Amino acid sequence: MEFPQEAPALQGGHGLLAEAADLGMGAVVPSLPPLGPTAAERHPDRIAYVFARTVFVASARVGARTARTSTASRMQGIRTLSGLGMLMVVDRGVAAMGRRQGAWVGSAVAGTGAVVAAGLGPVTNYASATVPGWAAHAWVIWPVFAVLVTVGIGLVLWGRRLDAAASPPTRLGPVGRSTWGRQDSLRPPHVERVRGREAELAELTGMLRRPQGRFAVLCAAGGTGKTTVAAQFASQANGAGWQVFWVRWRDSAELAQQMVQVALACGLPEAELESARAGRASLPDVVWRQLGRVRRWLLVLDNADEPQEIGPAGEPLADYRGWIRPHGRGLLVVTSRDSGPQTWGPRARLLPLKPLPAQPAGQILVDAAPEAGTAEQARDLAMRLGGLPLALHAVGTYLAGPTSRYRTFTAYRRALEHELSLLLGAEHPDASHPQVARSVVRHTWEVSLDQLAREGNALARPVLRLLAVLAEAPVPLSLITPDLLSAVTGDDVTVVALEAAFAGLHRYGLLDLPHSPGDAEQASGVGGPAQVVLHPLIREINAVALAAEAPRLATWHRALAERLTSAVHEVDEQGRAGWPAAVLLAPHLPVLLDFPDQRSAAHHRAALSTLALALEHAGAFGAARLLHERVLDFESRTLGTRHPDALTSRNHLANALFGMGEPTEAIRLLRQTLEDRSRVLGPAHPDTLISRHDLACALDGTGQHAEAVSLLRQTLADRSRVLGVMHPHTLASRDSLGLALDGMGEHAQAVRLHRQTLDDRIRVLGPEHHLTLLSRHNLAVALARQGEHAEAERLLQQALDDHARVLGAAHPHTLASRDSLGLALDGMGEHAQAVRLHRQTLDDRIRVLGTKHPDTLTSRHNLAVALAGTGEQEEAVRLLRQTLADRARVLGPEHPHTVRTRDDLETVSAAWRAAQRRQTWLRPSRR
């Protein structure tokens, strides 16, 4: 970039040169820069200049008249050189007086020059017909000559510097397309109180006091309030006495113009700016050199959403050779949608802004529309908006309008369910203007997508639109494939392009990368797959945009449906390794039932049921329940409540409810399903036998052993006749019958059935099948209850190891094996080891199943009993009281498990009271 130079108008003649020429000195006096008399006349300290001028002229005249000998000639050279140097520095000092901020420098230089010139007069003008004796020796005169030459050269150089600094201020010429007549203000924008950003403001305040060679980047997607936070911080810094400068990014030329304004306001000398104008120095170097000299400043660069364009051109931003540098003695704060650490380099402190929590988000709505409802209603609406500041301010402004259709928080929240496209999703007529687009919810994220497209990442927009079709939940990256994008866009898509699209969307804050392990990941011990998540409002607005843009929306739905069903097949084939992905797929699969293609409805329902059963095997009963409920609702509406498929879905739902710890509702559904299947399919139909078996297992699990034994004996006989004695379902009935008999106290018969079932399952299913492992566990439990603790402990340890290896350390079956092993050890008198296992199992069950699940309550009860065995009656009583209250609430006050806890509580409490009495009796009395 070029800086036009303006030569200042100079007045007056060359007075000193003219006088020197009259004295015959014209041949030895070099050309001097002109000095206008106005520079001295307009400064009050003119006496020093006049005095120095008089001394020099007088010295020159005396020297000219007495220069006769060779020694005098040498002294003439000395006089001329030193006198000219002193004249030059005096002239420059007087010129510096013309600058107000350099007046004290000019005064000091001019006065010093006059005194030195007066001292040089006797030395340089002693030459006469009689030369003093001390000056006749060469070893004396030449050192004096050398010193004076050095001083003269130094004075000349110093004078040039003063002359450059003293030139009248010239206006900053155009930098790029900007002109001096259009200078943007460097003042920060005004903002009202900012809510919910106290942590970020505190972090910035700490950096302002001690930058330590860093700069801050407030980064997030559009609409998160980056500019508002920066403006609030700028206001605080200004109130604390810092110089504050606000630069809004538009293009590199305007940025250069404003950065020069900042440097000039911080005292940048005109000479250094002139060197940049002339191309002798880098303009960013000059500006940042000045910012490195000055303390207590804050510079905010707002809306720096295109870091690669900040420049200068060709300079990577992270090299810190351009306009972004961490080298000043103040603090640079940048606001940007780009949150990539590689973009900003190692000296950047990234401060990502997240959506606001409920309380401050709701308060923003109350501040904007105080008459629209209560604080609680405002928080509900704020959470519906995802805590996004831009949406909060837009909605608050709308509600406060006197002509708005919806005037309350509740009414607006309800309207969003059906009128999102008309409210927040409405297009703005001036959306083509970048500043308008940034401030409108419907368009603010399109700014980032446009920028990604300019960067060559055009695939980012269809990827975001596709993610918006899915549910408001984390999406496994494996679901979005190049083939899927090719199907919806019609273009060839490569893996590299798809990865670049995800990276660009993440860099601009349009998607996040959470890590929130699901039930299956916890149960299996397998690390979760890579996943992404959209802000709920970004998702909804992009869904609106897709509906408005895509002329063939059915193509998108068909391609997505095919990919979802194939993903279900993939995770089902993977077994345990696919469980984490199955949990992530679960919330997105119901969208299949919303697609209008009825020809694929049965295929889609089957996909949901298949995934739900895989989730049950993984122990993720909550996710399975949601899928079963959606399938049952769809089939009941489209096929009827008595259709065989609907009855199957109802049976599946009941099993999922029982696994979640809701046995009462599960038993009700199972009884209803058994009756309907018996009537529709017949009492001996395999599906009817499944319902009878599942009902019996649920009854046995709730302590209703007698009815369970009756149903299981009938089911075992029917399955043996219909399916065969070695069919897996027949073996399942025999195993369940053994459990029910064990619950009734028929331990010997239970052991016999479990031994037979274990042998048959090893032969039919294999030794590593999860049902074979379950049989070994059930046999060990029956042996322990029969008193054969040694064999029970051996089998339980084997079952625990096998379950952990096959299913994962935190799978419900593994936890059951560990709990049973603790019971066996407690029965063998190994109370301390039993306590350790029960504590571990209780912690894992709380994490995997929840605090109120019946299995969790069982672990807490067993831990209390083991603690009582070690003499820790006080903690045991506390745990049993808590378990009794929870079991009475979850299972009912007369449930067998509740009764068992009540009995054990009375026993342990009595033992604790007896122990306290013994301690009181044994305590020595004081006299």
Side-chain angles (χ1 to χ4, degrees), residues 313-502:
E315 291 287 353
L317 188 149
D319 288 349
Y320 304 137
R321 288 163 48 86
W323 290 116
I324 302 294
R325 304 190 186 188
H327 304 141
R329 302 180 75 179
L331 178 63
L332 169 66
V333 175
V334 181
T335 71
S336 176
R337 300 187 179 199
D338 192 326
S339 60
Q342 295 80 10
T343 300
W344 304 104
R347 305 304 298 170
R349 173 70 172 93
L350 301 185
L351 298 175
L353 298 185
K354 300 297 182 182
L356 292 172
Q359 197 281 329
Q363 191 59 48
I364 290 176
L365 292 173
V366 173
D367 292 342
E371 305 299 325
T374 66
E376 183 178 0
Q377 293 169 341
R379 287 193 294 269
D380 292 340
L381 176 57
M383 289 300 93
R384 175 63 181 81
L385 299 172
L388 196 70
L390 178 61
L392 295 171
H393 287 288
V395 172
T397 302
Y398 174 89
L399 293 174
T403 60
S404 300
R405 286 186 298 147
Y406 305 106
R407 302 293 303 280
T408 67
F409 301 133
T410 302
Y412 193 94
R413 181 168 57 85
R414 291 172 179 168
L416 283 177
E417 303 304 321
H418 307 286
E419 299 184 40
L420 178 70
S421 60
L422 300 177
L423 296 171
L424 291 176
E427 294 195 21
H428 195 283
D430 297 328
S432 59
H433 192 285
Q435 289 303 113
V436 174
R438 289 175 182 276
S439 62
V440 179
V441 174
R442 172 65 173 81
H443 302 286
T444 184
W445 300 301
E446 298 300 314
V447 174
S448 298
L449 293 175
D450 291 340
Q451 172 58 26
L452 285 167
R454 287 193 295 270
E455 295 175 7
N457 201 338
L459 194 61
R461 181 174 270 108
V463 168
L464 188 62
R465 300 287 197 255
L466 192 60
L467 292 172
V469 179
L470 298 168
E472 185 183 329
V475 180
L477 285 181
S478 59
L479 180 63
I480 310 301
T481 63
D483 290 341
L484 175 59
L485 266 298
S486 296
V488 299
T489 62
D491 301 324
D492 291 334
V493 177
T494 64
V495 174
V496 174
L498 182 58
E499 291 179 349
F502 277 117

Side-chain angles (χ1 to χ4, degrees), residues 21-325:
D22 291 341
L23 298 174
M25 296 172 56
V28 296
V29 179
S31 175
L32 293 178
L35 173 68
T38 57
E41 291 171 355
R42 64 170 175 258
H43 194 276
D45 193 4
R46 192 167 181 270
I47 299 176
Y49 172 76
V50 175
F51 177 66
R53 181 189 182 106
T54 303
V55 170
F56 172 76
V57 173
S59 301
R61 285 175 177 169
V62 173
R65 284 196 295 266
T66 58
R68 296 189 181 95
T69 64
S70 60
T71 301
S73 299
R74 289 196 299 270
M75 301 315 298
Q76 173 68 26
I78 296 173
R79 178 181 69 247
T80 302
L81 183 59
S82 59
L84 286 175
M86 188 52 56
L87 173 62
M88 191 171 281
V89 75
V90 171
D91 284 351
R92 271 47 172 196
V94 174
M97 296 177 191
R99 280 192 327 134
R100 185 180 62 176
Q101 65 184 62
W104 65 273
V105 177
S107 179
V109 170
T112 303
V115 173
V116 175
L120 284 174
V123 177
T124 60
N125 288 287
Y126 76 91
S128 61
T130 304
V131 179
W134 62 269
H137 302 288
W139 60 270
V140 174
I141 196 61
W142 282 113
V144 172
F145 179 78
V147 170
L148 293 177
V149 167
T150 302
V151 171
I153 292 173
L155 292 174
V156 168
L157 296 176
W158 193 14
R160 286 182 178 178
R161 180 176 179 181
L162 289 175
D163 186 56
S167 60
T170 57
R171 287 186 174 181
L172 181 65
V175 182
R177 64 178 179 82
S178 178
T179 62
W180 181 259
R182 183 187 176 275
Q183 293 293 328
D184 288 334
S185 172
L186 298 179
R187 292 177 56 84
H190 172 75
V191 293
E192 297 296 334
R193 180 180 178 181
V194 176
R195 297 188 180 275
R197 301 301 189 191
E198 291 78 12
E200 290 82 2
L201 290 171
E203 178 78 14
L204 290 171
T205 300
M207 292 185 67
L208 182 64
R209 292 170 179 166
R210 298 186 62 189
Q212 296 180 328
R214 301 173 300 164
F215 66 100
V217 181
L218 290 169
C219 52
T224 51
K226 302 178 294 295
T227 297
T228 303
V229 173
Q232 176 70 20
F233 177 58
S235 176
Q236 294 176 358
N238 185 63
W242 263 260
Q243 277 189 291
V244 177
F245 307 102
W246 189 278
V247 174
R248 179 166 284 126
W249 162 261
R250 292 189 183 90
D251 55 47
S252 57
E254 289 195 22
L255 176 61
Q257 183 79 20
Q258 293 182 81
M259 291 296 288
V260 169
Q261 287 181 256
V262 171
L264 289 173
C266 290
L268 175 66
E270 292 286 347
E272 296 187 27
L273 184 57
E274 286 296 335
S275 68
R277 284 195 176 107
R280 294 190 299 271
S282 164
L283 184 59
D285 287 349
V286 169
V287 169
W288 278 101
R289 188 182 303 122
Q290 180 61 28
L291 294 179
R293 299 170 183 150
V294 183
R295 294 181 180 272
R296 295 177 66 84
W297 54 263
L298 169 64
L299 171 60
V300 178
L301 177 56
D302 188 31
N303 290 340
D305 298 334
E306 304 175 65
Q308 71 281 0
E309 300 294 331
I310 290 179
E315 291 287 353
L317 188 149
D319 288 349
Y320 304 137
R321 288 163 48 86
W323 290 116
I324 302 294
R325 304 190 186 188

Side-chain angles (χ1 to χ4, degrees), residues 477-555:
L477 285 181
S478 59
L479 180 63
I480 310 301
T481 63
D483 290 341
L484 175 59
L485 266 298
S486 296
V488 299
T489 62
D491 301 324
D492 291 334
V493 177
T494 64
V495 174
V496 174
L498 182 58
E499 291 179 349
F502 277 117
L505 291 170
H506 177 249
R507 184 161 55 91
Y508 279 87
L510 296 176
L511 55 80
D512 204 354
L513 305 177
H515 182 73
S516 52
D519 295 340
E521 183 180 335
Q522 296 175 359
S524 66
V526 179
Q531 54 190 281
V532 296
V533 64
L534 296 184
H535 184 279
L537 202 56
I538 293 179
R539 170 186 164 271
E540 290 183 296
I541 294 300
N542 274 273
V544 170
L546 175 62
E549 295 169 355
R552 298 170 56 196
L553 194 58
T555 303

